[in-house]
Amino acid sequence: MNVKWISTAVASILLATAIGAAPAVSAKEETPEIQNESIYDVLIDRFFDKNVENDYNINAKDPKAFHGGDFDGIATKLSYFQDLGFTMLSLGSVFSSETYDGQAVVDYNKIERHFGTGKEFSSLIGTLHKNHIKTMADFPINNVSKNHAWVLEKGHQDWYELANSDRINWNTSNTAVQDALVQAAVDFVGKYKVDGIRLTELGKADTAFLNKMITALKQKNKNLYVITNEPSDADFDLKVNKDTIDTYQSIFKNVDQDSSQLEKPLGNSINDTSQKPVALMLDDLYSARFTHASAEENMFPPTRIKVALGAIMTLPGVPIVSYGTEIAQNGVTTDESHAPMDFRTKDDIISYIEDLQSVRNKSKALRTGKFKLLENKDGLMVYERYAGKEKWIIVVNNTDKTKRYVLDPSVIGNNKELHGIFEKDIVRQQKEDEKYNIVLDRELVEFYQVTDHKGINIPYMIALGLVYVIFITFIVLLLRRGRRGKKA
């Protein structure tokens, strides 16, 4: 028994008690809807090297070379993904490629040997599925290798054009090329039971062709998510706004920033079920890292990351988090930002993400509920998320001072209680003016669960009692161990 175990047990008991009264619906029990997902974006080569048998000509000192990460490495870190709580793992491109990120595709019909075999890939997907984690893979449509298998075939001169000295783009106006790309994607989905495909490098591919591809993929697997990482009018399951990253980096890189554009990346998707949900991102694998933005402001990146994640995890849409965010991975260019994952760093942000996800995954309101902005002024953002009888008030204090927000009973009703999940405070209606006074320290995000006022919180008191019992047991064991040491 150690201190970390004690703190984890205490946090788990209190968190479970705090959210226990909410009418929670697990995402696993619902018909698949992408709004229920949260996506963790990895690069297989940069995550963890487990199998030395596929380490062909790797060079960990060269930022442009393969470093050795593989499917077995991902499987080895299963508990890590489980603890983080993301419902979907995006693996990047896994096709045979000349580059570590899988984008310079050589053959859509082969798996990159540095990552492992097709059998190992299938095994990884099966392992993740058994542990309720979905999988997604990238399918690069353009900017593939000039040595692609189709280029080397006779009669394909009109299939492509040079993008640069090393890459080519497909002539997607050519129906033969369209059919080949669609078939390659459908075959991949049929062979490997992935739950999602992300079409990347769209290039000049028009909306009609993209919809043709999406339709064929959905016919193969009706529950398959098909998304992209680029703005598009095609019928993808997730909408990407090009200004999302810049907007949220601008708001959260420092305190007291202009937050008036908070809702802009959400577009028309707010409370409109006919609109596709949006991707919520602080960065992606090919942008400058959020850590860089906050470091440039001379701010402490872990605190900035926690505030920013607290916000995007509770806004309407689908959070997509790049690997390494939880360890404040830095960088502007890919040579810097695609550093190997370091598992020896402090777990402050990791623990915070675990808590965020624990609440989000149990809450229908936070995943798919309606949204109402109550306050957005000088870095203080307050909004409501609700679904049926479940209701939350989210307070984001992105300022350098403790802030007070007065919540009118017209928003949540009379005789209610607001239970803070992280700071553990309880806000009740004031007798003088019948309003709810919320006070939150600087650079914090708090989730307030709205419940009926029921007097003493019996489950919470029981949980608190258990905390004391665990703590006292821990002290007693330490004292006994000390006495045995002295006698020896």
Side-chain angles (χ1 to χ4, degrees):
M1 187 177 290
N2 54 45
V3 175
K4 184 176 180 181
W5 185 92
I6 288 289
S7 62
T8 301
V10 170
S12 298
I13 291 171
L14 292 178
L15 188 62
T17 303
I19 64 177
V25 180
S26 170
K28 302 166 191 173
E29 299 173 355
E30 297 182 335
T31 301
E33 293 182 20
I34 201 164
Q35 296 98 313
N36 285 315
E37 313 297 348
S38 55
I39 301 172
Y40 185 73
D41 212 353
V42 305
L43 286 174
I44 295 171
D45 180 72
R46 296 303 200 245
F47 205 72
F48 191 71
D49 184 2
K50 173 65 175 177
N51 189 349
V52 296
E53 293 183 3
N54 52 41
D55 288 347
Y56 309 103
N57 299 320
I58 65 171
N59 184 356
K61 294 182 179 180
D62 182 354
K64 290 182 168 54
F66 284 89
H67 287 189
D70 46 41
F71 298 134
D72 284 350
I74 298 290
T76 297
K77 294 299 181 180
L78 174 64
S79 62
Y80 183 79
F81 301 123
Q82 288 176 313
D83 290 344
L84 285 176
F86 289 94
T87 64
M88 175 168 275
L89 192 60
S90 177
L91 299 171
S93 172
V94 299
F95 302 108
S96 178
S97 172
E98 294 177 340
T99 55
Y100 68 85
D101 62 357
Q103 295 298 308
V105 178
V106 173
D107 196 332
Y108 291 120
N109 294 317
K110 294 181 180 178
I111 297 296
E112 173 49 50
R113 65 175 187 164
H114 285 91
F115 302 159
T117 65
K119 184 177 180 180
E120 289 166 342
F121 182 40
S122 291
S123 176
L124 170 61
I125 295 171
T127 298
L128 292 170
H129 282 171
K130 287 178 183 177
N131 290 276
H132 309 293
I133 300 175
K134 297 182 176 70
T135 55
M136 177 175 285
D138 286 3
F139 189 99
I141 291 180
N142 285 297
N143 204 29
V144 300
S145 171
K146 68 177 182 180
N147 298 312
H148 193 283
W150 294 349
V151 173
L152 303 179
E153 294 177 7
K154 292 182 179 180
H156 286 176
Q157 292 85 352
D158 61 343
W159 275 37
Y160 63 91
E161 60 184 22
L162 285 174
N164 55 49
S165 59
D166 299 316
R167 305 287 187 96
I168 60 103
N169 290 327
W170 299 117
N171 178 10
T172 51
S173 62
N174 184 323
T175 55
V177 174
Q178 290 184 10
D179 292 343
L181 286 167
V182 169
Q183 193 61 52
V186 169
D187 288 347
F188 176 77
V189 167
K191 187 173 183 180
Y192 303 104
K193 306 305 180 183
V194 294
D195 306 281
I197 286 288
R198 179 167 59 188
L199 302 183
T200 65
E201 301 289 347
L202 301 186
K204 296 179 181 179
D206 62 23
T207 301
F209 164 60
L210 292 174
N211 281 337
K212 174 181 176 180
M213 199 167 190
I214 293 168
T215 298
L217 288 166
K218 296 276 190 178
Q219 287 175 344
K220 188 66 177 180
N221 179 356
K222 66 179 182 179
N223 292 325
L224 186 78
Y225 298 134
V226 185
I227 71 171
T228 184
N229 60 344
E230 302 175 31
S232 172
D233 292 328
D235 195 24
F236 289 103
D237 291 306
L238 193 62
K239 187 175 181 61
V240 176
N241 291 329
K242 63 180 181 179
D243 57 353
T244 298
I245 292 172
D246 288 342
T247 298
Y248 291 141
Q249 286 197 4
S250 175
I251 291 174
F252 296 110
K253 65 183 179 182
N254 204 336
V255 294
D256 300 317
Q257 299 296 293
D258 176 16
S259 57
S260 61
Q261 301 301 304
L262 179 72
E263 297 175 281
K264 183 180 177 182
L266 307 180
N268 297 323
S269 67
I270 301 177
N271 301 330
D272 185 350
T273 56
S274 68
Q275 300 291 321
K276 299 293 184 180
V278 299
L280 300 169
M281 304 172 289
L282 298 177
D283 55 30
D284 65 29
L285 294 179
Y286 294 93
S287 73
R289 290 280 186 156
F290 176 79
T291 294
H292 174 76
S294 61
E296 284 285 289
E297 297 285 316
N298 294 316
M299 299 299 288
F300 184 54
T303 300
R304 296 285 82 220
I305 290 170
K306 288 165 71 174
V307 173
L309 285 177
I312 71 164
M313 287 285 187
T314 53
L315 289 171
V318 181
I320 302 179
V321 178
S322 304
Y323 88 97
T325 299
E326 68 274 29
I327 59 170
Q329 189 98 299
N330 203 346
V332 177
T333 66
T334 54
D335 285 358
E336 301 165 330
S337 63
H338 288 183
M341 184 66 183
D342 185 355
F343 294 96
R344 298 168 297 177
T345 57
K346 294 181 179 180
D347 63 357
D348 184 37
I349 306 174
I350 295 173
S351 298
Y352 183 68
I353 293 175
E354 291 173 4
D355 289 343
L356 284 178
Q357 293 278 52
S358 179
V359 180
R360 187 180 189 275
N361 288 340
K362 291 180 175 68
S363 169
K364 181 177 178 64
L366 293 178
R367 297 193 313 274
T368 63
K370 293 185 178 181
F371 170 89
K372 182 179 181 182
L373 186 64
L374 303 175
E375 178 84 4
N376 187 3
K377 183 180 180 182
D378 301 328
L380 178 66
M381 292 157 273
V382 184
Y383 45 92
E384 181 183 6
R385 296 300 308 274
Y386 56 99
K389 295 181 179 180
E390 183 189 1
K391 184 173 293 189
W392 297 82
I393 301 296
I394 309 300
V395 182
V396 182
N397 184 3
N398 191 41
T399 78
D400 64 353
K401 295 181 178 64
T402 297
K403 288 289 184 178
R404 176 173 175 266
Y405 176 73
V406 179
L407 180 65
D408 193 88
S410 62
V411 177
I412 62 171
N414 291 304
N415 202 30
K416 301 292 183 180
E417 290 182 345
L418 284 77
H419 293 257
I421 295 297
F422 300 109
E423 301 303 306
K424 307 297 184 292
D425 58 323
I426 299 177
V427 179
R428 296 187 176 92
Q429 200 167 15
Q430 300 296 303
K431 292 182 180 179
E432 308 82 53
D433 57 9
E434 297 187 337
K435 295 185 178 181
Y436 302 87
N437 294 319
I438 299 173
V439 179
L440 188 63
D441 287 343
R442 57 172 290 174
E443 297 185 82
L444 287 178
V445 178
E446 182 59 292
F447 299 8
Y448 290 97
Q449 181 189 0
V450 180
T451 65
D452 293 330
H453 176 55
K454 297 179 180 178
I456 298 175
N457 188 338
I458 300 300
Y460 184 82
M461 296 303 294
I462 293 173
L464 194 61
L466 287 174
V467 169
Y468 282 117
V469 170
I470 292 172
F471 180 72
I472 291 170
T473 303
F474 176 63
I475 296 299
V476 170
L477 289 174
L478 281 181
L479 291 173
R480 288 180 178 176
R481 184 177 297 175
R483 289 170 184 169
R484 286 198 297 268
K486 288 180 179 179
K487 289 179 180 179

